[in-house]
Amino acid sequence: MMPSYFFAHGAPSIVLEDNAYTALLKNFAAHTPKPKAIVLFSAHWEQSMQTVSAAGRYSTIYDFGGFQDELYRMTYPAEGDRALSDQIQSLFSKHGIQSVLDEERGLDHGAWAVLKLLYPDADIPVVALSVNRYLTNEQQYQVGKALSELRKQDILIIGSGGTVHNLRKLNWKSEGIDGWAEAFDNWIQAKLEAWDVDSLFNYRELAPYAQEAVPTNEHFIPLLLAMGTGDANRQAKLLHRSYQYGNLSLSCWQFN
């Protein structure tokens, strides 16, 4: 069964960077069976109702400003998979989750920056999925769980976001790690590895420095979505964790 993954997408410029984290992403395909398709939840696509992309071929959305000119020339012209989009809608309906299709929207940088590092040839069909910050954490987990059977079909499910993501706290010149960010991530790691969903669903009240690490939850949600797809086996493995700008967490979790 294909594992699911959570990838932090960091700053948009991550696609141009050369470090230990981007090396992991660039080498990912060499150590993972090629999936039939990719299903990706992006923190940068927020909708009040679960939305499923149904594009034929994706345009590239440049939903950022002030970065290198090269980023605005990049494209990721992946194709969609309408049959898979319909199947996802059916799975959501089966689990009591309302959803709608979107045939127009392209891929935002939370999707294409990660995918360009993982599969630069854009030769695997992609179905992008929105996130809804107003669901409870348990509901987020259940959204992921509803798609778990896709893993048996060699479909790769990805949550793209960030566990510590507070743009107001970034120190662009820092080469160290802020203690509060590391403390929060250490707590999250312990609860993920123990599959302690009760604590994770209540991380805002229980985790140290939760308000600093997750001032708004849209980037944290993809972690719970990806985790939910692994509910049957409940095995979480941290593949990488590092930081940029003092506290911007770059982590990769595998859920078996």
Side-chain angles (χ1 to χ4, degrees):
M1 185 160 60
M2 178 76 71
S4 297
Y5 294 87
F6 169 82
F7 292 108
H9 59 247
S13 55
I14 192 171
V15 73
L16 300 176
E17 294 169 4
D18 184 13
N19 53 47
Y21 183 60
T22 59
L24 180 143
L25 271 63
K26 291 174 183 177
N27 292 323
F28 179 83
H31 304 287
T32 306
K34 187 174 182 177
K36 287 171 49 180
I38 299 169
V39 173
L40 187 146
F41 290 94
S42 172
H44 288 274
W45 187 12
E46 291 191 62
Q47 295 290 317
S48 58
M49 181 180 291
Q50 182 62 61
T51 308
V52 182
S53 67
R57 183 178 293 273
Y58 289 98
S59 60
T60 304
I61 301 173
Y62 306 102
D63 51 336
F64 49 82
F67 287 89
Q68 300 96 317
D69 290 344
E70 184 179 353
L71 284 176
Y72 302 93
R73 296 192 294 270
M74 286 188 171
T75 61
Y76 195 82
E79 294 185 355
D81 184 332
R82 181 55 184 261
L84 179 55
S85 297
D86 291 340
Q87 182 185 2
I88 289 170
Q89 260 209 308
S90 178
L91 287 171
F92 281 147
S93 179
K94 177 181 174 182
H95 289 83
I97 300 166
Q98 288 186 304
S99 64
V100 294
L101 295 177
D102 185 321
E103 299 180 349
E104 302 296 329
R105 192 178 190 274
L107 295 176
D108 58 65
H109 84 270
W112 67 259
V114 170
L115 292 175
K116 199 166 185 70
L117 290 167
L118 295 173
Y119 299 103
D121 294 334
D123 59 349
I124 301 171
V126 174
V127 174
L129 299 176
S130 67
V131 302
N132 180 358
R133 71 168 68 198
Y134 298 107
L135 300 180
T136 67
N137 291 325
E138 183 173 6
Q139 287 173 321
Q140 308 289 2
Y141 184 93
Q142 294 300 326
V143 169
K145 184 178 177 180
L147 302 183
S148 58
E149 69 180 69
L150 295 177
R151 297 172 54 204
K152 301 176 183 178
Q153 302 170 29
D154 296 327
I155 293 171
L156 175 61
I157 303 176
I158 294 173
S160 174
T163 53
V164 180
H165 188 273
N166 188 339
L167 300 184
R168 293 188 176 184
K169 292 281 189 179
L170 295 185
N171 181 348
W172 296 95
K173 297 181 180 180
S174 175
E175 295 182 1
I177 302 171
D178 292 342
W180 61 266
E182 192 168 28
F184 177 80
D185 267 343
N186 284 341
W187 187 93
I188 294 296
Q189 178 178 351
K191 302 309 177 185
L192 284 170
E193 290 175 344
W195 212 272
D196 183 352
V197 291
D198 290 336
S199 292
L200 285 165
F201 293 162
N202 293 285
Y203 75 90
R204 282 197 172 278
E205 293 75 34
L206 300 177
Y209 305 104
Q211 187 56 48
E212 289 87 347
V214 189
T216 57
N217 68 342
E218 76 286 342
H219 276 74
F220 193 84
I221 289 168
L223 177 68
L224 297 172
L225 294 165
M227 184 187 186
T229 69
D231 182 76
N233 294 329
R234 298 194 163 200
Q235 296 178 351
K237 182 179 181 181
L238 180 63
L239 301 184
H240 179 91
R241 191 173 82 196
S242 58
Y243 297 86
Q244 292 180 314
Y245 317 121
N247 53 67
L248 183 62
S249 180
L250 299 178
S251 58
C252 173
W253 281 95
Q254 175 179 300
F255 300 105
N256 292 322

